[in-house]
Amino acid sequence: MKNNQLPQFGNLSELKSRFIFLILALVVYRLGVHITVPGINVPLLMDQMTQPGEGQGLSAMMNLFSGGAFERMSIFMLGVMPYITASIVIQMLTVVYPPLEQIKKEGQAGRRKITQYTRYLTIVFAAAQGTAYAFGIVNGSLGFNSSIVVIPALNFVLLAVITWITGTIFLMWLGEQISERGIGNGISMIIFASILMGLPTGVSALFDTARTEGGALAYLKVVFVILFVMAIVLLVVFIERGQRRITINYARKQQGRQMSIGGQTTHLPLKLNMAGVIPAIFGSAFLSFVYTISAALAKIEVSVAEGPVSGFAKFGYLASQFFQKIGNYGVKYFTPGQPAYMILFAALIIFFCFFYTAIQFNSKETAENLKRSGGFIPGIRPGIQTSQFFDKVLTRITLWGALYITAICLLPEMLGAIFNFPSYFGGTSILIAVVVVMDLIAQVQAQLVSQQYSSVMKKANISSALNGKPPSI
């Protein structure tokens, strides 16, 4: 009995090593979150973290993906958002820019070039975002008191930007290592770890609010929040497993004296939500960028000179006043929970659902592949009509998928504004967490099936039986 169990235990050794690598990588990430960027008065920063400020809306959005690195001004303050933004921009360019589209079709070599371009663009985005944050911290436009900076402002900006760029590059490398040596998509696992680390804080804040309000109604609200989150999780699992299965028939073929082959009927599964969590992530990243720029513009000082003003001085005064008003409007209307924020968020989600689905599934290429392999959809002619049929079906299911993601992301936002939910129970965080866990389970199952198949092949000793040669038909 023991002899039968030992080989099975050995088969799981690779899976165990992958899990160990994943856990160690995430531990390294979480340790880096608690390392503050140089030039900051850490005790004063810790005091400000417990006090509400004007940058709390931005902090809530950024902490969702950084696991508290934003409010701690960590070396990982930018997180993986510059990399995600760069990846999406490159994917968009491969559709509209022919040279990049040609590189993408070059196979493995083309993918390596695309990856290299994504890394370069990540550095550009990290530098731009880091510079905006550094100046925002210096002038206090991000909700932090500028007195926490204990070194000259220019020195802090240079040091902070270099540190944050390095941190983003390290997380990008760490995510690639997790994808290669661990389990699951590395970048998604880093975001998932950030969301998971915020869960205890969210639960604690929920019970603290109920304790402060007092009464049975406050604790009834806690029960409602828990049941609501469970319902959202069940809905996400149900929808993410939903498919539109298109019947594909293959014509019979006669090859010489061989028996006819083909004549099979299979199904082409099209997921209801092909875009996954990309629309929610990119929409949140874009809104955080809008809020950052608005907060910086709102802090512009408009100095009024005594006496008549003309020429360049008047232009500077009018420009400062104009940009300050834009910043004030941005801070006022694009804070989470505001109608303008929700409308823009919904528009971004719907747009990226359609756009990312178009990138993931090429209807013309799929129709041509079916035509070459002798496959056809019953009642639909191969070629152009098949491609048009795919477009029609994808448009319908993507519309419902986009509405589903929009509802998941915005409904908790609206209820949170009414019932004062913690931001950790937002729809975006729930959607990302559930989808990443489902993907992780699928990859673990694939690993187990692959290792079980390898074990069966070794036990059957097929390779030695065939003397290392493939079977002849």
Side-chain angles (χ1 to χ4, degrees), residues 299-319:
K299 285 293 182 177
I300 294 178
E301 296 183 0
V302 180
S303 58
V304 181
E306 297 180 359
V309 180
S310 61
F312 185 76
K314 184 177 181 179
F315 173 78
Y317 167 75
L318 294 176

Side-chain angles (χ1 to χ4, degrees), residues 352-368:
F352 282 107
C353 277
F354 279 94
F355 183 83
Y356 204 76
T357 300
I359 293 177
Q360 294 285 78
F361 187 90
N362 190 325
S363 59
K364 292 183 179 180
E365 185 177 345
T366 305
E368 288 299 322

Side-chain angles (χ1 to χ4, degrees), residues 128-302:
Q129 192 174 1
T131 303
Y133 285 168
F135 278 108
I137 292 170
V138 169
N139 62 26
S141 62
L142 294 184
F144 299 106
N145 193 329
S146 58
S147 60
I148 62 176
V149 179
V150 295
I151 60 176
L154 183 59
N155 294 346
F156 172 76
V157 170
L158 292 175
L159 184 60
V161 171
I162 293 174
T163 303
W164 290 333
I165 291 175
T166 306
T168 297
I169 294 173
F170 176 79
L171 289 182
M172 178 176 61
W173 173 83
L174 188 66
E176 292 175 353
Q177 295 303 309
I178 292 175
S179 300
E180 181 179 351
R181 303 182 183 182
I183 292 289
N185 180 276
I187 302 299
S188 299
M189 293 307 301
I190 290 175
I191 297 177
F192 173 71
S194 301
I195 296 173
L196 194 63
M197 290 301 104
L199 185 61
T201 304
V203 174
S204 176
L206 185 64
F207 280 96
D208 287 343
T209 303
R211 194 179 301 113
T212 302
E213 295 178 359
L217 186 60
Y219 286 96
L220 186 62
K221 185 177 71 172
V222 173
V223 175
F224 172 76
V225 172
I226 295 174
L227 293 177
F228 178 75
V229 171
M230 293 175 62
I232 291 294
V233 170
L234 292 176
L235 178 63
V236 171
V237 173
F238 178 77
I239 297 296
E240 290 296 326
R241 291 184 176 275
Q243 293 179 347
R244 169 72 159 87
R245 304 181 71 187
I246 299 177
T247 303
I248 305 293
N249 291 338
Y250 287 90
R252 290 183 175 273
K253 295 181 179 180
Q254 190 77 22
Q255 294 183 351
R257 296 182 179 180
Q258 299 288 339
M259 296 180 60
S260 61
I261 60 175
Q264 300 177 352
T265 299
T266 61
H267 293 89
L268 177 65
L270 299 178
K271 288 186 62 177
L272 183 63
N273 177 29
M274 280 193 175
V277 298
I278 293 298
I281 292 177
F282 194 70
S284 299
F286 181 83
L287 287 171
S288 67
F289 176 76
V290 170
Y291 192 97
T292 303
I293 299 300
S294 300
L297 293 177
K299 285 293 182 177
I300 294 178
E301 296 183 0
V302 180

Side-chain angles (χ1 to χ4, degrees), residues 365-417:
E365 185 177 345
T366 305
E368 288 299 322
N369 291 337
L370 283 176
K371 185 177 181 180
R372 283 195 294 267
S373 60
F376 62 94
I377 301 173
I380 307 295
R381 295 185 62 180
I384 299 297
Q385 291 191 7
T386 300
S387 174
Q388 293 174 348
F389 176 79
F390 283 142
D391 288 334
K392 182 179 178 181
V393 172
L394 277 177
T395 300
R396 290 179 176 179
I397 64 175
T398 303
L399 176 61
W400 288 108
L403 295 177
Y404 141 74
I405 297 181
T406 304
I408 291 294
C409 292
L410 293 187
L411 186 59
E413 294 279 354
M414 292 185 287
L415 293 178

Side-chain angles (χ1 to χ4, degrees), residues 35-111:
I35 301 176
T36 306
V37 68
I40 293 295
N41 187 334
V42 178
L44 184 59
L45 175 64
M46 294 298 107
D47 291 339
Q48 291 189 15
M49 283 173 54
T50 59
Q51 301 174 1
E54 62 178 300
Q56 204 166 10
L58 174 63
S59 179
M61 286 187 287
M62 293 303 299
N63 281 323
L64 174 66
F65 302 110
S66 64
F70 179 84
E71 63 182 2
R72 292 186 178 91
M73 290 191 193
S74 162
I75 59 175
F76 295 152
M77 183 174 176
L78 301 182
V80 293
M81 295 312 298
Y83 176 75
I84 293 175
T85 306
S87 300
I88 296 176
V89 169
I90 290 294
Q91 289 181 352
M92 293 170 67
L93 289 176
T94 55
V95 177
V96 300
Y97 188 56
L100 275 180
E101 184 179 5
Q102 189 62 35
I103 292 175
K104 185 181 178 181
K105 295 179 180 179
E106 293 178 1
Q108 187 66 26
R111 283 193 292 271

